[in-house]
């Protein structure tokens, strides 16, 4: 963030540091802004200064400081209790979102292996990659891996076939976090009433049907990629 001054608008940016090296008595590095994190008006930083550990003089001096603060938690207003926060799981706010990651939510059932493979190809066609929660094992509890996957993903694909309760729950989390969700199903009757107003891709679980599914999902993912790049 810049110092306070007369130039408008003034914003702070969220990102990470790369290529940190010591050159003589100076440190050199490259700051890489996070394209998925919006710029923050300095007026907002001033309002939250006490929660961010920023003292008044710091707004008027060029310097670097390390603050032992959860930036995302403060910005979301959860410090003051102004914004809702989950109680049964923790959002991994310290983890960066991955611009090329698609999360797939479907029943853990071998009958969906061909469908998942089709979705992996569809993501690849759009220049992306996709994972299910059973592809990763980072946390002891699988739900933590599911939440992490949804958090890191730029888009989520939810298969409502067989009306799986876990998929419904995970889709609700994805919607709450603002992820683009692509709904797919083998039967329109498996789409919950509250989600019927959202377009779903209906497919047949055979060679021709899966090929069509791949084309439609790849096309939708491609549109999402182009939309983000255009913005």
């Amino acid at each position: 963030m810049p110092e306070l001054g007369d130039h408008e608008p003034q914003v702070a940016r969220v990102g990470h540091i790369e290529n940190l090296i010591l050159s003589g008595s100076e440190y050199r590095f490259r700051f890489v802004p996070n394209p998925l994190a919006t710029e923050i008006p300095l007026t907002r930083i001033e309002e939250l200064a006490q929660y961010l550990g920023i003292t008044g003089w710091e707004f008027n001096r060029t310097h670097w400081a390390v603050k032992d603060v959860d930036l995302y938690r403060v910005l979301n207003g959860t410090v003051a209790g102004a914004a809702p926060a989950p109680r049964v799981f923790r959002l991994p706010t310290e983890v960066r979102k991955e611009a090329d990651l698609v999360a797939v939510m479907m029943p853990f059932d071998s009958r969906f292996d061909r469908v998942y493979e089709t979705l992996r190809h569809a993501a690849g066609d759009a220049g992306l990659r996709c994972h299910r929660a059973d592809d990763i094992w980072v946390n002891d509890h699988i739900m933590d891996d599911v939440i992490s996957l949804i958090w890191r993903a730029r888009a989520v694909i939810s298969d409502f076939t067989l009306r799986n309760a876990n998929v419904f729950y995970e889709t609700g989390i994805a919607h709450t976090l603002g992820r683009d969700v692509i709904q797919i199903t083998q039967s329109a009757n498996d789409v919950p009433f509250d989600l019927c107003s959202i377009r779903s891709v209906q497919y047949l679980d055979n060679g021709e049907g899966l090929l069509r599914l791949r084309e439609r999902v790849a096309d939708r993912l491609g549109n999402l990629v182009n939309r983000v790049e255009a913005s």
Side-chain angles (χ1 to χ4, degrees), residues 96-170:
R96 288 188 296 156
K97 299 178 180 66
E98 301 174 25
D100 65 340
L101 179 62
V102 177
V104 176
M105 304 295 136
M106 59 170 43
F108 292 155
D109 189 315
S110 59
R111 288 176 292 177
F112 288 85
D113 287 349
R114 291 201 312 165
V115 179
Y116 178 49
E117 190 63 23
T118 298
L119 297 176
R120 291 184 61 184
H121 287 303
D125 293 342
L128 306 173
R129 58 191 175 89
C130 73
H131 287 304
R132 292 188 304 192
D134 57 339
D135 287 334
I136 55 178
W137 187 359
V138 176
N139 300 287
D140 294 329
H141 198 295
I142 189 171
M143 193 58 198
D144 290 329
D145 283 334
V146 171
I147 298 300
S148 174
L149 182 58
I150 296 173
W151 175 265
R152 292 182 289 115
R154 73 178 304 166
V156 174
I157 301 175
S158 294
D159 194 332
F160 293 152
T161 304
L162 301 182
R163 301 181 65 86
N164 184 276
N166 292 326
V167 175
F168 293 160
Y169 181 69
E170 293 153 6

Side-chain angles (χ1 to χ4, degrees), residues 32-108:
V32 182
N34 183 343
L36 300 181
T38 58
E39 297 175 339
I40 308 165
L42 251 60
T43 52
R44 177 65 172 156
I45 299 296
E46 285 187 282
E47 293 171 357
L48 299 173
Q50 61 176 317
Y51 300 117
L52 294 171
I54 300 176
T55 58
W57 68 268
E58 292 184 279
F59 285 103
N60 301 289
R61 296 291 186 277
T62 298
H63 71 289
W64 293 94
V66 177
K67 308 293 185 180
D68 185 16
V69 175
D70 186 331
L71 175 65
Y72 294 100
R73 183 176 176 84
V74 172
L75 293 178
N76 288 333
T78 53
V79 168
R87 294 181 180 273
V88 297
F89 56 80
R90 187 186 70 86
L91 295 176
T93 54
E94 73 284 357
V95 178
R96 288 188 296 156
K97 299 178 180 66
E98 301 174 25
D100 65 340
L101 179 62
V102 177
V104 176
M105 304 295 136
M106 59 170 43
F108 292 155

Side-chain angles (χ1 to χ4, degrees), residues 4-8 10:
L4 292 178
D6 298 328
H7 302 290
E8 296 293 343
Q10 288 182 296

Side-chain angles (χ1 to χ4, degrees), residues 137-227:
W137 187 359
V138 176
N139 300 287
D140 294 329
H141 198 295
I142 189 171
M143 193 58 198
D144 290 329
D145 283 334
V146 171
I147 298 300
S148 174
L149 182 58
I150 296 173
W151 175 265
R152 292 182 289 115
R154 73 178 304 166
V156 174
I157 301 175
S158 294
D159 194 332
F160 293 152
T161 304
L162 301 182
R163 301 181 65 86
N164 184 276
N166 292 326
V167 175
F168 293 160
Y169 181 69
E170 293 153 6
T171 301
I173 293 173
H175 282 155
T176 302
L177 292 179
R179 300 298 180 266
D180 289 300
V181 178
I182 301 175
Q183 300 178 177
I184 67 173
T185 182
Q186 294 177 27
S187 171
N189 294 327
D190 288 341
V191 180
F193 174 78
D194 288 349
L195 300 178
C196 285
S197 61
I198 302 175
R199 290 181 179 177
S200 297
V201 177
Q202 191 168 344
Y203 70 94
L204 296 175
D205 188 12
N206 56 36
E208 182 178 351
L210 294 178
L211 179 61
R212 178 59 177 157
L213 174 65
R214 173 177 175 175
E215 294 172 347
R216 296 187 65 185
V217 170
D219 183 63
R220 176 58 177 158
L221 288 174
N223 289 336
L224 294 178
V225 170
N226 293 333
R227 185 185 70 187

